[in-house]
Amino acid sequence: MEIFVNEQKLESVIENEQSLGEVFDAVRRWVETNGKFLLSCVVDGEEFTQNTMRDSSISNASKMEFFVGEELDILISSLHELDSYVDKVGTTLLGRDSLTEKESKELGDGIEWIRSLLESAGKLLKLKYDQIKPMGTGSTVSEILDALSRNSYKLDGTTAIEEFLEYLRDLKLFVMDLVARASVLDLELPTLREILDTFIKAVPALKESFVKVNESYQAGKDEVATHLLTQSVSQINVLLTSFITLRQKLPGMDFSKIQIAERSFEEKTNDLNDTLASVALALEEKDIIRAGDIIEYEIPAVLDEFLPFLEKVKEQADSLAV
């Protein structure tokens, strides 16, 4: 069997691999080791599917083609495609009480494609899915993917479909945040400085948005509150990711030198992350009152304390960019 990556034939790739699934895993590991990500795989002109092809012998195929993303913009494009696919699945399942055999198979293959893409994205962006819990949910990304994969083949009633849709909504929250994070990594310096400047000016509005989140929770509008919370936290995650990119674009950037009243920039960043984590924990424990108090009072207070540090970061970035 011949193996191609982006239309380039690979030599001496197969060692002890006996099945198409083993070859797929080996090439994916090789791709991720080289800091790239796997977009898709085609076997003899047909899209590779984990369920029907994984255990098939390599002797049953003549050509296996892998398409690998080499640029960050390809990853971002793929994540947008993933976001659209999640919406499509949700719309298709809404109001249904069963799936046809063909629909069930296509859904199972789609979930495996989601897992594969997210695994590659996670490697590239250095994310640990077993530790990330989308805001407003109690499950990690790994647990969400496992549940979607496990349940995709037994959607035989409204209860099963509703449970699947709950996990799908959790995944949607994470994908929204992931698209925002990935987009920042490919920005040029002027845009990064603009993000920083815009965030500083928008802190009052962001604080107000957290108040609205708590008001929605208290009014029993949990889905609205979760959506608003995800949007607000995504703004913070975009800012935090921009610091990583700023350091790459400006080698002289030294966040360790930024201190105010004997508190370091790193300590204040950790305070912000810890406060967000405490919200996720409270929501996981279904303690809406505690989560609401943190959202409405603690997060705005931490943002106020963080603001002077952002001003210092902006000053340093401006001086280095001159």
Side-chain angles (χ1 to χ4, degrees):
M1 182 181 71
E2 294 181 318
I3 299 176
F4 291 80
V5 173
N6 292 349
E7 301 183 349
Q8 297 293 316
K9 185 177 179 180
L10 295 186
E11 303 292 346
S12 303
V13 173
I14 300 176
E15 296 179 355
N16 300 316
E17 290 79 12
Q18 300 297 317
S19 68
L20 295 181
E22 290 175 340
V23 174
F24 180 86
D25 291 340
V27 173
R28 183 171 61 183
R29 285 193 298 270
W30 174 79
V31 167
E32 292 171 351
T33 300
N34 285 274
K36 303 173 185 177
F37 56 95
L38 183 61
L39 290 172
S40 63
C41 173
V42 176
V43 179
D44 291 337
E46 184 179 350
E47 188 79 18
F48 175 83
T49 56
Q50 293 276 5
N51 305 311
T52 57
M53 293 185 182
R54 183 165 190 83
D55 296 328
S56 181
S57 171
I58 59 175
S59 62
N60 295 331
S62 60
K63 186 178 183 181
M64 200 167 184
E65 299 173 271
F66 293 86
F67 297 93
V68 174
E70 310 224 18
E71 300 293 340
L72 188 58
D73 58 350
I74 299 178
L75 171 61
I76 294 171
S77 175
S78 298
L79 289 175
H80 280 295
E81 182 183 352
L82 169 56
D83 189 42
S84 297
Y85 177 74
V86 170
D87 287 340
K88 180 181 177 182
V89 171
T91 301
T92 301
L93 291 177
L94 200 60
R96 298 281 296 273
D97 58 6
S98 64
L99 295 180
T100 65
E101 184 177 347
K102 180 175 181 292
E103 287 175 328
S104 182
K105 178 183 179 302
E106 289 176 348
L107 179 60
D109 291 340
I111 298 302
E112 292 309 314
W113 170 72
I114 289 175
R115 184 191 293 276
S116 178
L117 179 57
L118 286 182
E119 285 179 354
S120 295
K123 292 285 186 179
L124 186 64
L125 300 176
K126 312 299 183 186
L127 300 176
K128 296 180 179 180
Y129 292 149
D130 60 344
Q131 297 178 13
I132 298 175
K133 294 181 179 180
M135 191 60 66
T137 76
S139 303
T140 66
V141 175
S142 293
E143 289 169 341
I144 291 168
L145 289 172
D146 287 343
L148 289 172
S149 180
R150 182 174 61 251
N151 296 336
S152 61
Y153 295 98
K154 48 184 179 181
L155 300 181
D156 50 4
T158 54
T159 300
I161 288 180
E162 287 172 2
E163 181 181 355
F164 184 87
L165 285 173
E166 285 292 329
Y167 282 111
L168 194 68
R169 280 191 283 269
D170 294 351
L171 179 66
K172 171 70 176 180
L173 294 176
F174 174 68
V175 172
M176 288 168 56
D177 184 49
L178 187 58
V179 169
R181 293 195 202 199
S183 298
V184 176
L185 295 175
D186 201 32
L187 297 180
E188 294 301 322
L189 185 57
T191 307
L192 290 168
R193 293 166 67 189
E194 184 178 337
I195 287 176
L196 184 57
D197 190 47
T198 300
F199 188 92
I200 291 172
K201 294 176 181 177
V203 164
L206 183 59
K207 288 161 56 180
E208 183 62 29
S209 72
F210 280 112
V211 173
K212 291 180 180 178
V213 169
N214 188 30
E215 290 175 349
S216 296
Y217 273 127
Q218 300 309 319
K221 301 177 181 178
D222 289 8
E223 190 167 333
V224 173
T226 299
H227 181 72
L228 290 174
L229 182 59
T230 300
Q231 286 185 322
S232 299
V233 172
S234 288
Q235 292 182 52
I236 294 175
N237 284 334
V238 165
L239 176 72
L240 298 177
T241 304
S242 73
F243 296 145
I244 299 173
T245 316
L246 266 177
R247 189 184 287 115
Q248 294 173 342
K249 301 289 183 180
L250 295 171
M253 199 81 188
D254 188 354
F255 294 127
S256 66
K257 293 182 179 179
I258 299 176
Q259 293 193 347
I260 299 176
E262 298 184 352
R263 295 298 303 276
S264 69
F265 173 76
E266 184 179 49
E267 287 175 322
K268 296 310 297 182
T269 302
N270 289 337
D271 285 347
L272 183 55
N273 280 321
D274 289 345
T275 305
L276 294 177
S278 67
V279 175
L281 179 61
L283 291 173
E284 180 183 351
E285 295 174 348
K286 309 298 183 184
D287 191 342
I288 298 299
I289 294 177
R290 180 160 63 93
D293 286 343
I294 297 171
I295 290 168
E296 184 167 353
Y297 303 110
E298 293 187 26
I299 292 180
V302 173
L303 286 173
D304 280 336
E305 295 172 0
F306 196 49
L307 197 53
F309 289 86
L310 296 182
E311 297 281 3
K312 291 286 187 182
V313 170
K314 184 176 181 298
E315 289 175 10
Q316 189 176 135
D318 288 345
S319 66
L320 290 171
V322 173

